[in-house]
Amino acid sequence: MIRFEHVTKRYPDGTTAVDDLSFEVARGELVTLVGPSGCGKTTTMKMVNRLIEPTSGRISVDGEDISGADPVELRRRIGYVIQQVGLFPHKTVLENTATVPHLLGWKRSRARERAAELLELVGLDPAVHGSRYPEQLSGGQRQRVGVARALAADPPVLLMDEPFGAVDPVVREHLQNEFLRLRARLGTTVLLVTHDIEEAVRLGDRIAVYGQGRIEQFDAPAAVLGTP
Ligand code: ADP
Ligand code: ADP
């Protein structure tokens, strides 16, 4: 589903963030990218939706070389969740969630129906939370809206950059569990960046362990932990 072939990213200041990276993520697989700060995880992820362009190498999504894709169109097919979810402050929770289906040209009523369904799936009550504005929610609730919004248009691929990093540990565990259930239902292919090895192990079907600009190990959690 996602394929990197000899991908290198060098920033204009000479920093090599990612060095000759090759890997594949299968359809429906959840791969966690883990490693210390500055080792190239976010750069890897942002190249998948062309927020960052590789210096060399080839990236394909669902068999299509993305260097030829329209970035805006590409991003509608690839959900994206970051640590501080940027919800539109002047839109309600329901409107925020319906944004991408709406952009994709879904009818307003269908987009809203879908948004309500997704809010429910992430544990929010559309009748209660749907008409609120982001500032009226707790951090954990905002993060849920971010996940619902990213999934509202049924993207085949979801990119998540420290999605549970900004909430307290109890809420985090709760969100992680809900996310696992949700994903089991949707079958979305997921790349998830974290610096937390426990989170990587808990969520990942496979784990990409980063060293400086490289993946040093790419394996199932048990193998990464060194248990047979
Ligand atoms: P991680 O997500 O693992 O923390 P990043 O992909 O953000 O790592 O960064 C990898 C390396 O690239 C780091 O050394 C970082 O300082 C550098 N880097 C990231 N973005 C830029 C940029 N826009 N310009 C120059 N260097 C950058
Ligand atoms: P959580 O345990 O998810 O972090 P909080 O303890 O922050 O939730 O919030 C508890 C309840 O209070 C939630 O139902 C939330 O919708 C509501 N709430 C939190 N902040 C506000 C606010 N500024 N305005 C209205 N309701 C709020």
Side-chain angles (χ1 to χ4, degrees), residues 185-200:
R185 266 190 67 171
L186 299 173
T188 315
T189 306
V190 183
L191 272 189
L192 187 149
V193 164
T194 179
H195 62 262
D196 176 1
I197 183 72
E198 271 180 50
E199 178 163 279

PDB file of all heavy atoms in Angstrom, residues 185-200:
ATOM      1  N   ARG A 185     -12.314  -2.120  12.739  1.00  0.00           N
ATOM      2  CA  ARG A 185     -13.551  -2.048  11.958  1.00  0.00           C
ATOM      3  C   ARG A 185     -13.335  -1.494  10.563  1.00  0.00           C
ATOM      4  O   ARG A 185     -13.983  -1.901   9.611  1.00  0.00           O
ATOM      5  CB  ARG A 185     -14.543  -1.129  12.673  1.00  0.00           C
ATOM      6  CG  ARG A 185     -15.477  -1.871  13.566  1.00  0.00           C
ATOM      7  CD  ARG A 185     -16.566  -0.974  14.058  1.00  0.00           C
ATOM      8  NE  ARG A 185     -17.469  -0.526  12.996  1.00  0.00           N
ATOM      9  CZ  ARG A 185     -18.592   0.117  13.237  1.00  0.00           C
ATOM     10  NH1 ARG A 185     -18.944   0.379  14.469  1.00  0.00           N
ATOM     11  NH2 ARG A 185     -19.365   0.499  12.260  1.00  0.00           N
ATOM     12  N   LEU A 186     -12.448  -0.505  10.461  1.00  0.00           N
ATOM     13  CA  LEU A 186     -12.308   0.202   9.181  1.00  0.00           C
ATOM     14  C   LEU A 186     -11.262  -0.413   8.258  1.00  0.00           C
ATOM     15  O   LEU A 186     -11.331  -0.256   7.053  1.00  0.00           O
ATOM     16  CB  LEU A 186     -11.951   1.674   9.428  1.00  0.00           C
ATOM     17  CG  LEU A 186     -12.976   2.497  10.212  1.00  0.00           C
ATOM     18  CD1 LEU A 186     -12.413   3.868  10.520  1.00  0.00           C
ATOM     19  CD2 LEU A 186     -14.285   2.625   9.444  1.00  0.00           C
ATOM     20  N   GLY A 187     -10.274  -1.085   8.825  1.00  0.00           N
ATOM     21  CA  GLY A 187      -9.232  -1.704   8.007  1.00  0.00           C
ATOM     22  C   GLY A 187      -8.295  -0.714   7.322  1.00  0.00           C
ATOM     23  O   GLY A 187      -7.673  -1.029   6.315  1.00  0.00           O
ATOM     24  N   THR A 188      -8.194   0.502   7.875  1.00  0.00           N
ATOM     25  CA  THR A 188      -7.343   1.533   7.284  1.00  0.00           C
ATOM     26  C   THR A 188      -5.863   1.180   7.439  1.00  0.00           C
ATOM     27  O   THR A 188      -5.456   0.640   8.461  1.00  0.00           O
ATOM     28  CB  THR A 188      -7.608   2.871   8.007  1.00  0.00           C
ATOM     29  OG1 THR A 188      -9.010   3.047   8.145  1.00  0.00           O
ATOM     30  CG2 THR A 188      -7.012   4.046   7.265  1.00  0.00           C
ATOM     31  N   THR A 189      -5.065   1.480   6.429  1.00  0.00           N
ATOM     32  CA  THR A 189      -3.612   1.341   6.528  1.00  0.00           C
ATOM     33  C   THR A 189      -3.076   2.550   7.298  1.00  0.00           C
ATOM     34  O   THR A 189      -3.403   3.682   6.961  1.00  0.00           O
ATOM     35  CB  THR A 189      -2.979   1.310   5.119  1.00  0.00           C
ATOM     36  OG1 THR A 189      -3.609   0.277   4.359  1.00  0.00           O
ATOM     37  CG2 THR A 189      -1.478   1.069   5.195  1.00  0.00           C
ATOM     38  N   VAL A 190      -2.277   2.312   8.332  1.00  0.00           N
ATOM     39  CA  VAL A 190      -1.870   3.416   9.205  1.00  0.00           C
ATOM     40  C   VAL A 190      -0.348   3.464   9.379  1.00  0.00           C
ATOM     41  O   VAL A 190       0.286   2.441   9.613  1.00  0.00           O
ATOM     42  CB  VAL A 190      -2.508   3.277  10.610  1.00  0.00           C
ATOM     43  CG1 VAL A 190      -2.145   4.466  11.496  1.00  0.00           C
ATOM     44  CG2 VAL A 190      -4.020   3.114  10.533  1.00  0.00           C
ATOM     45  N   LEU A 191       0.196   4.674   9.275  1.00  0.00           N
ATOM     46  CA  LEU A 191       1.569   4.947   9.711  1.00  0.00           C
ATOM     47  C   LEU A 191       1.455   5.852  10.918  1.00  0.00           C
ATOM     48  O   LEU A 191       0.830   6.917  10.842  1.00  0.00           O
ATOM     49  CB  LEU A 191       2.350   5.707   8.641  1.00  0.00           C
ATOM     50  CG  LEU A 191       3.103   4.975   7.544  1.00  0.00           C
ATOM     51  CD1 LEU A 191       3.950   5.980   6.766  1.00  0.00           C
ATOM     52  CD2 LEU A 191       3.977   3.879   8.109  1.00  0.00           C
ATOM     53  N   LEU A 192       2.038   5.460  12.042  1.00  0.00           N
ATOM     54  CA  LEU A 192       1.899   6.223  13.278  1.00  0.00           C
ATOM     55  C   LEU A 192       3.274   6.503  13.881  1.00  0.00           C
ATOM     56  O   LEU A 192       4.027   5.579  14.165  1.00  0.00           O
ATOM     57  CB  LEU A 192       1.014   5.442  14.263  1.00  0.00           C
ATOM     58  CG  LEU A 192       0.613   6.138  15.554  1.00  0.00           C
ATOM     59  CD1 LEU A 192      -0.762   5.660  16.015  1.00  0.00           C
ATOM     60  CD2 LEU A 192       1.619   5.927  16.688  1.00  0.00           C
ATOM     61  N   VAL A 193       3.592   7.783  14.023  1.00  0.00           N
ATOM     62  CA  VAL A 193       4.871   8.203  14.597  1.00  0.00           C
ATOM     63  C   VAL A 193       4.745   8.364  16.107  1.00  0.00           C
ATOM     64  O   VAL A 193       3.789   8.967  16.592  1.00  0.00           O
ATOM     65  CB  VAL A 193       5.322   9.552  13.988  1.00  0.00           C
ATOM     66  CG1 VAL A 193       6.417  10.202  14.829  1.00  0.00           C
ATOM     67  CG2 VAL A 193       5.805   9.361  12.561  1.00  0.00           C
ATOM     68  N   THR A 194       5.696   7.811  16.840  1.00  0.00           N
ATOM     69  CA  THR A 194       5.709   8.008  18.283  1.00  0.00           C
ATOM     70  C   THR A 194       7.151   7.938  18.776  1.00  0.00           C
ATOM     71  O   THR A 194       8.004   7.341  18.138  1.00  0.00           O
ATOM     72  CB  THR A 194       4.838   6.948  18.996  1.00  0.00           C
ATOM     73  OG1 THR A 194       4.902   7.161  20.407  1.00  0.00           O
ATOM     74  CG2 THR A 194       5.303   5.529  18.702  1.00  0.00           C
ATOM     75  N   HIS A 195       7.432   8.592  19.927  1.00  0.00           N
ATOM     76  CA  HIS A 195       8.764   8.398  20.498  1.00  0.00           C
ATOM     77  C   HIS A 195       8.678   7.432  21.676  1.00  0.00           C
ATOM     78  O   HIS A 195       9.651   7.150  22.345  1.00  0.00           O
ATOM     79  CB  HIS A 195       9.380   9.736  20.925  1.00  0.00           C
ATOM     80  CG  HIS A 195       8.579  10.421  21.986  1.00  0.00           C
ATOM     81  ND1 HIS A 195       7.676  11.413  21.701  1.00  0.00           N
ATOM     82  CD2 HIS A 195       8.512  10.214  23.313  1.00  0.00           C
ATOM     83  CE1 HIS A 195       7.084  11.786  22.813  1.00  0.00           C
ATOM     84  NE2 HIS A 195       7.563  11.078  23.817  1.00  0.00           N
ATOM     85  N   ASP A 196       7.448   6.897  21.876  1.00  0.00           N
ATOM     86  CA  ASP A 196       7.163   6.073  23.039  1.00  0.00           C
ATOM     87  C   ASP A 196       7.139   4.599  22.626  1.00  0.00           C
ATOM     88  O   ASP A 196       6.228   4.146  21.941  1.00  0.00           O
ATOM     89  CB  ASP A 196       5.802   6.530  23.585  1.00  0.00           C
ATOM     90  CG  ASP A 196       5.322   5.680  24.748  1.00  0.00           C
ATOM     91  OD1 ASP A 196       6.047   4.755  25.156  1.00  0.00           O
ATOM     92  OD2 ASP A 196       4.207   5.943  25.232  1.00  0.00           O
ATOM     93  N   ILE A 197       8.156   3.840  23.025  1.00  0.00           N
ATOM     94  CA  ILE A 197       8.273   2.446  22.587  1.00  0.00           C
ATOM     95  C   ILE A 197       7.073   1.622  23.056  1.00  0.00           C
ATOM     96  O   ILE A 197       6.593   0.745  22.346  1.00  0.00           O
ATOM     97  CB  ILE A 197       9.632   1.817  23.017  1.00  0.00           C
ATOM     98  CG1 ILE A 197       9.788   0.377  22.489  1.00  0.00           C
ATOM     99  CG2 ILE A 197       9.823   1.822  24.510  1.00  0.00           C
ATOM    100  CD1 ILE A 197      10.026   0.248  21.024  1.00  0.00           C
ATOM    101  N   GLU A 198       6.560   1.944  24.241  1.00  0.00           N
ATOM    102  CA  GLU A 198       5.375   1.203  24.730  1.00  0.00           C
ATOM    103  C   GLU A 198       4.185   1.385  23.796  1.00  0.00           C
ATOM    104  O   GLU A 198       3.448   0.445  23.517  1.00  0.00           O
ATOM    105  CB  GLU A 198       4.985   1.685  26.127  1.00  0.00           C
ATOM    106  CG  GLU A 198       5.687   0.927  27.233  1.00  0.00           C
ATOM    107  CD  GLU A 198       5.263   1.452  28.596  1.00  0.00           C
ATOM    108  OE1 GLU A 198       4.039   1.568  28.833  1.00  0.00           O
ATOM    109  OE2 GLU A 198       6.153   1.751  29.400  1.00  0.00           O
ATOM    110  N   GLU A 199       4.003   2.639  23.355  1.00  0.00           N
ATOM    111  CA  GLU A 199       2.902   2.909  22.433  1.00  0.00           C
ATOM    112  C   GLU A 199       3.136   2.182  21.109  1.00  0.00           C
ATOM    113  O   GLU A 199       2.208   1.605  20.523  1.00  0.00           O
ATOM    114  CB  GLU A 199       2.758   4.414  22.193  1.00  0.00           C
ATOM    115  CG  GLU A 199       1.670   4.752  21.199  1.00  0.00           C
ATOM    116  CD  GLU A 199       1.249   6.213  21.265  1.00  0.00           C
ATOM    117  OE1 GLU A 199       0.452   6.543  22.159  1.00  0.00           O
ATOM    118  OE2 GLU A 199       1.723   7.014  20.435  1.00  0.00           O
ATOM    119  N   ALA A 200       4.386   2.193  20.659  1.00  0.00           N
ATOM    120  CA  ALA A 200       4.724   1.540  19.389  1.00  0.00           C
ATOM    121  C   ALA A 200       4.398   0.053  19.447  1.00  0.00           C
ATOM    122  O   ALA A 200       3.855  -0.522  18.509  1.00  0.00           O
ATOM    123  CB  ALA A 200       6.197   1.751  19.061  1.00  0.00           C
TER     124      ALA A 200
END
